[in-house]
């Protein structure tokens, strides 16, 4: 079955460490997104990418970096510059600029990152 | 810029009672609106969407929502709550517009946690 796979499900990071969250989709979707979820704050957009080798900052990009070398993959790196990284991270995808209207966004099952 | 406000971070109902989750939006263009549901430690699942067709939108699991432009609202309802409806619900608005150049980002509300009592 097609879908989005996020790994790992749980991740622990030490202070000052960079960590990378994986997001892979086999839906042949063009656009991919990273959201951060904190209790009571909904989901906030970190980065998004419409096509390979192109990505844009979202509302809270500071302390994060991404790459889009392949259509199916959109990894997120949480750098040591992100001072409060403990959160639930969700990856999403959709087929094109117009299709969120018709098909919505498909979400992965998330990665819970905790700083220890 | 688009924004979404969900009134009530927690809603509690009895099994069999009406479910009403409130969502108000702000948008400079005709909005596209969505409701998503999230179960603990899982991703989001689309319940329903409004795309400027019928103002009353029916979704999965017996949920429906009505788009009211005059009230800038898109409240989610279900006539009879079931225990399995207990989850967190998110309203979202898309910044896509006809002829626009947006990449189609979703802006989410803060979420409403629905509790269903036996």
């Amino acid at each position: 079955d097609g879908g989005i796979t996020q790994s790992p499900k749980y991740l622990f990071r030490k202070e000052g460490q960079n960590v990378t969250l994986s997001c892979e989709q086999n839906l042949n979707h063009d656009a991919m997104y990273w959201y951060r979820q904190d209790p009571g704050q909904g989901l906030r957009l970190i980065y998004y990418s419409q096509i390979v080798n192109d990505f844009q900052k979202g509302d809270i990009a500071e302390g994060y970096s991404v790459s889009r070398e392949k259509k199916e993959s959109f990894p997120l790196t949480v750098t040591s510059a992100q001072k409060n990284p403990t959160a639930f991270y969700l990856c999403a995808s959709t087929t094109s600029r117009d299709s969120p209207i018709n098909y919505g966004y498909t979400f992965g099952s998330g990665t819970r990152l905790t700083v220890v | 810029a688009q924004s979404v406000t969900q009134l009530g971070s927690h809603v509690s109902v009895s099994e069999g009672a009406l479910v009403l989750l409130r969502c108000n939006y702000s948008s400079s263009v005709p909005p596209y609106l969505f409701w998503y549901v999230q179960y603990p430690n899982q991703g989001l699942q689309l319940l329903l969407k409004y795309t400027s067709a019928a103002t009353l939108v029916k979704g999965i699991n017996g949920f429906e929502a009505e788009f009211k432009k005059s009230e800038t609202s898109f409240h989610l309802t279900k006539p009879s709550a079931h225990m399995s409806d207990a989850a967190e619900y998110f309203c979202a608005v898309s910044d896509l517009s006809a002829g626009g150049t947006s990449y189609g980002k979703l802006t989410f509300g803060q979420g409403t946690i629905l509790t269903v009592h036996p």
Side-chain angles (χ1 to χ4, degrees), chain B residues 32-45:
Chain B
Y32 299 121
L33 295 158
F34 304 79
W35 274 101
Y36 283 87
V37 61
Q38 184 183 35
Y39 298 98
N41 290 312
Q42 293 187 26
L44 275 65
Q45 180 184 2

Side-chain angles (χ1 to χ4, degrees), chain A residues 33 37 97 101-102 105 108 112, chain B residues 32 38 41 43 96 100 102 104:
Chain A
Y33 306 79
Q37 184 177 14
R97 174 177 169 275
I101 301 312
N102 295 319
Y105 293 70
R112 186 165 297 280
Chain B
Y32 299 121
Q38 184 183 35
N41 290 312
L96 274 177
S102 165

Side-chain angles (χ1 to χ4, degrees), chain A residues 9-10 33 35 37 40-43 45 48 50 54 56 88 90 97 100-102 104-105 107-109 112, chain B residues 32 34 36 38 41-44 46 49 51 88 90 94 96-97 99-106 108-110:
Chain A
K9 190 170 180 64
Y10 298 95
Y33 306 79
Y35 285 90
Q37 184 177 14
Q41 297 191 48
L43 280 73
L45 183 64
Y48 61 100
Q50 182 73 3
D54 183 65
Q56 306 293 330
F88 191 52
L90 285 162
R97 174 177 169 275
I101 301 312
N102 295 319
Y105 293 70
F107 282 83
S109 57
R112 186 165 297 280
Chain B
Y32 299 121
F34 304 79
Y36 283 87
Q38 184 183 35
N41 290 312
Q42 293 187 26
L44 275 65
L46 181 66
K49 59 185 183 291
T51 59
E88 188 163 17
F90 291 94
S94 171
L96 274 177
S97 60
T101 58
S102 165
Y103 286 101
K105 304 186 299 293
L106 286 179
F108 288 86
Q110 303 91 324

Side-chain angles (χ1 to χ4, degrees), chain A residues 3 5 16 18 47 55 74 84 94 103:
Chain A
T5 301
N18 291 357
Y47 268 98
F55 47 83
F74 192 41
N84 184 25
T94 192
Y103 304 113

